[in-house]
Amino acid sequence: MNRVVDLHCHSRYSDGTLSVGDLVTLAKSRGVELLSLTDHDEVSGIPEARKHCAEQALAFVAGVEISSEWRDMSIHIVGLRVDDKNAVLTSLLAGARKARDDRAQRMDDAFEAVGIRGALAGASAYAPNPDLISRTHFARHLVDSGVCGSVGEVFTRFMKPGKPGYVAHQWVAMQAAIDAIHAAGGRAVLAHPARYETQFLGGPSTLLKCFAEAGGDGVEVVCAAHNPPEWAQYAALARRYDLLASIGSDFHSPMESRVKFGDLPRLSPNLKPVWHDWPEAECLYA
Ligand code: AMP
Ligand code: MN
Ligand code: MN
Ligand code: MN
């Protein structure tokens, strides 16, 4: 089987730069056959995504990327094939967005303390969804206002732990995120596992083991954040902990994203795909 699946991407409802319609059109034009929209802590784009995918004959499952916390570290969990109207899920997401507003204010204070004024007002102008403010919006504002040369530079100089624009933030517990995804009938997938700094926490193996023990269902094996040795490493860990495997480009923007829709390799056949029993995925086996 050689079909294109992408179960992780972002629209303007979170920190992507494309409208849902343009995102779906781009995915279709790049050969994607099964898509999930997984905005950060937000499902408001799902009805539009469902409509555009239906119009373009692209198989779709509703998704979300929940910002959560494990051992004081921020961990992203993608919920796939969720019921986007489920009250347990939507109330957890509403709380997460409210907490983002509070964090954004504290970030504004932190930037002001190092002489950068009006960072939140500037970031807000880059956030098309006023209900979802992200560090990415701060980064785009600081690039366009000339403080830094690139989004990456803003993160490195200002927005990582220990840097002047970074503020500590308590996300929901990993367990709560997994439970909310399950309450909404979805599968919980650990996003881009190689991105986490697990070296003092037992390494990636400990994280995947804890995730599986907490009821997590799958892990992104093939994603833009991984290099080829990491695809193999996470394939082995998925098998060891009996986790389903997923693929996601984590696409945000044609200008910023390293990987284009459709460019990631397929999953190795000795992994069980997270979509293996979804009716929406039947088109892949036709
Ligand atoms: P937030 O969820 O508001 O804390 O922002 C996290 C988002 O920032 C991620 O989803 C990425 O889109 C982006 N991000 C994180 N680290 C970097 C980085 N080093 N360079 C560029 N974007 C980043
Ligand atoms: Mn993002
Ligand atoms: Mn993420
Ligand atoms: Mn993402």
Side-chain angles (χ1 to χ4, degrees), residues 14-280:
S14 64
D15 60 350
T17 61
L18 297 185
S19 68
V20 171
D22 287 348
L23 188 74
V24 169
T25 299
L26 181 62
K28 178 78 182 180
S29 75
R30 301 274 313 165
V32 175
E33 292 172 272
L34 173 65
L35 182 73
S36 186
L37 173 67
T38 57
D39 276 312
H40 296 285
D41 301 320
E42 177 63 284
V43 287
S44 296
I46 297 300
E48 263 178 68
R50 192 176 279 124
K51 172 177 140 304
H52 285 286
C53 283
E55 284 168 6
Q56 301 199 33
L58 177 48
F60 175 76
V61 292
V64 64
E65 182 175 16
I66 302 181
S67 318
S68 79
E69 194 162 306
W70 174 74
R71 299 188 182 175
D72 292 331
M73 185 168 63
S74 162
I75 296 287
H76 287 178
I77 302 177
V78 169
L80 293 175
R81 204 165 182 273
V82 291
D83 169 6
D84 54 303
K85 299 276 182 279
N86 178 270
V88 174
L89 179 64
T90 56
S91 84
L92 178 133
L93 299 179
R97 293 194 300 272
K98 171 76 181 64
R100 280 177 173 276
D101 287 346
D102 299 341
R103 179 187 67 156
Q105 187 57 60
R106 289 184 289 122
M107 286 177 66
D108 189 64
D109 297 342
F111 276 114
E112 184 147 340
V114 292
I116 299 171
R117 305 179 75 87
L120 175 54
S124 299
Y126 287 80
N129 175 1
D131 209 21
L132 194 295
I133 184 92
S134 154
R135 279 185 293 164
T136 313
H137 301 122
F138 280 83
R140 292 189 183 128
H141 161 63
L142 292 174
V143 171
D144 289 347
S145 59
V147 175
C148 289
S150 69
V151 164
E153 185 191 335
V154 182
F155 275 90
T156 309
R157 276 179 56 198
F158 291 104
M159 294 199 302
K160 293 202 165 160
K163 301 294 177 179
Y166 180 84
V167 296
H169 184 72
Q170 181 127 31
W171 300 105
V172 301
M174 177 172 88
Q175 185 71 64
I178 293 172
D179 292 349
I181 291 165
H182 287 167
R187 285 196 172 136
V189 171
L190 182 65
H192 42 66
R195 280 242 309 257
Y196 310 120
E197 296 185 359
T198 54
Q199 61 270 33
F200 303 115
L201 299 169
S205 173
T206 303
L207 169 59
L208 266 72
K209 181 167 185 283
C210 289
F211 182 73
E213 285 170 357
D217 305 288
V219 59
E220 285 181 355
V221 171
V222 172
C223 65
H226 290 182
N227 55 37
E230 287 166 340
W231 295 328
Q233 177 188 4
Y234 287 97
L237 288 171
R239 280 195 299 273
R240 184 188 306 168
Y241 296 115
D242 209 13
L243 289 163
L244 302 169
S246 191
I247 295 186
S249 62
D250 204 3
F251 181 84
H252 282 73
S253 154
M255 306 300 288
E256 293 167 15
S257 293
R258 271 180 293 158
V259 165
K260 293 192 181 127
F261 278 124
D263 276 356
L264 288 171
R266 312 299 184 259
L267 283 184
S268 142
N270 58 12
L271 293 167
K272 194 172 196 181
V274 66
W275 60 83
H276 70 97
D277 57 352
W278 292 347
E280 294 84 354

